[in-house]
Amino acid sequence: TRGAIALYKAAQVTAAMEGRDYVIPEDVVREAIPVLAHRLTTASGSRADGEKFLQEVIAGLSVPLEDVKNL
């Protein structure tokens, strides 16, 4: 979908800005809300509701995170 492609590209940009040529899970998590929140339709039509929903979903995920500063 277009949303998944946009998230993929945003994560690539984040990785490049950090000096990496690969994406790590933290890049995807960092970009998920800015890229996807406006794509959600809520009953109130509020973007804040979409952001809150995504925060809850992301908080419930078990994502293998890497601390690249300690490698």
Side-chain angles (χ1 to χ4, degrees):
T1 64
R2 291 184 328 213
I5 293 169
L7 180 57
Y8 169 72
K9 289 182 179 183
Q12 285 182 315
V13 169
T14 299
M17 289 175 46
E18 295 289 328
R20 290 180 272 108
D21 60 353
Y22 56 92
V23 172
I24 58 177
E26 287 93 332
D27 300 329
V28 177
V29 169
R30 180 184 297 169
E31 296 300 329
I33 292 173
V35 171
L36 300 176
H38 75 281
R39 297 174 186 275
L40 298 176
T41 303
T42 61
S44 68
S46 168
R47 179 180 171 141
D49 291 341
E51 290 177 4
K52 182 180 176 187
F53 173 75
L54 283 173
Q55 288 172 345
E56 292 173 6
V57 170
I58 291 169
L61 294 176
S62 175
V63 180
L65 301 179
E66 178 179 330
D67 185 5
V68 294
K69 293 178 182 159
N70 292 326
L71 289 180

